[in-house]
Amino acid sequence: MTNSKLTDKPEEACGVFGVYAPNAEVARLAYFGLYALQHRGQESAGIATFAGDTVHCHKDMGLVSQVFDEEILNTLPGEIAVGHNRYSTTGSSRIVNAQPVLVQTRLGWLALAHNGNLVNTYALREQVLACSEPTAVLASTTDSELIAWAIAQAVETSQSWQEGIVSAVQQCQGAYSLVIGTPVGLFGVRDPHGIRPLVIGRLLSAPAADPHYVLASETCALDIIGADYIRDVEPGEIVHITASTLSSYHWAESQRKLCIFEMIYFARPDSVMQSESLYSYRQRLGQQLGREAPVAADVVIAVPDSGVPAAIGFSQATGIPYAEGLIKNRYVGRTFIQPTQSMRESGIRMKLNPLRDVLMGQRVVIVDDSIVRGTTSRKIVKALRDAGAVEVHMRISSPPVTHPCFYGIDTDNQDQLIAATKSVAEIAEQIGVDSLSYLSWQGMISATYDTGDRFCSACFTGQYPITIPEPVKRQKLVLEHIP
């Protein structure tokens, strides 16, 4: 199988969704919730439902619309649903690694969906395998399955599901936003740093006296099913949702470090963080970029879709007109058919096609949110010049990505990150632009209307908020370990 997407971006780990709604079609709600979160993972999708003590599950490789149909959804009855979209970070892209993870415990079945990445996977694996009750039989290579087994082992001696879950997650180091289905309700858990998002919503279709609650990675998954956003699950908090109640317990002190890349790129622009849509934040990034790195040009264009808000902001700040210069084929998706050699050589046009009428004879500013490896950027620049652009200036609405992520983003080893090994001038030469500028770290943070110490920006600074064990660190931080 080949993947036709041409990307110069880091990839998100997963999207998670959960709903407790008696007398509703919970599998259908989960399907649409996952559909809205498809951007967070396109490798596999799965839904587990609970009808009392009985659990039903279907998961497979592919997009949500490929994995589920009406017939399959009708085989998933119940009042609780847990859903998951996956992009592999820990564990390869295989069906055995698809989620939700199902494990039988002393208190009944649990279904776990995980967004994030643990940094103590090896130690947790040894601990789980050393425990005799219940004996873990690992079917996958994911840290998510280890969390599920740690919970199963913890509830063996715990008084309740909540006590067991808290005991288990206290053994986990790294990033984890969890949605956990059980026979007694739905649980949501967020790590003490809150690196990955998790929000709480309430279905508007349910009566006020009998509210039905929803958990999701982003608010866009609430919008699609007609749910109101209530609040975020706080870092270090566990919430327990039953048929009509939501209870909360703070099991660890909050040390908020939300991944700044969620705001820059990963989350959908119509999702709400910090009480506003991310479209507004990304537009401010572009405005700040325009103030920091103006250039004489005729037109501003974006790398669609993620660069659009920042490009509009750049246009607003500089007065250079904004136009669509690249048209995106939104129906490319995955393909099992190999393109011809000439199509491969043309590179970018299967996904992005330049508008010659807009670009011919123009000095062009192209705005994107990040450059990771530089390969796609080089192809885009060549396509713009082939379409008649006389100058191409690139502006990036985030700082240079110089360090890999260990918390749930699929980034290369450090030596494959172009900004870790090359200066801005060298990058500009490699991708073929007339000029290149990145947004400053200070400009990125000031646009949040918050302080830098409340975000994880380790991919830009190398300052990791959670200690990375040395063997794990050596896998990706290759430049720091050259004698």
Side-chain angles (χ1 to χ4, degrees), residues 105-161:
T105 78
R106 179 180 68 85
L107 300 178
W109 284 97
L110 74 82
L112 178 142
H114 170 212
N115 178 26
N117 200 54
L118 301 187
V119 298
N120 68 327
T121 304
Y122 303 125
L124 184 62
R125 180 183 175 86
E126 290 183 3
Q127 181 178 320
V128 164
L129 291 176
C131 186
S132 59
E133 289 294 333
T135 301
V137 180
L138 300 181
S140 74
T141 58
T142 67
D143 52 356
S144 309
E145 187 182 24
L146 293 175
I147 299 173
W149 275 107
I151 294 171
Q153 292 169 350
V155 300
E156 191 72 23
T157 56
S158 300
Q159 298 298 311
S160 66
W161 277 104

Side-chain angles (χ1 to χ4, degrees), residues 119 173-175 191 193 195 407 464-468:
V119 298
Q173 298 170 24
D191 70 78
H193 292 86
I195 290 175
Y407 307 135
Y464 295 96
I466 302 170
T467 302
I468 313 297

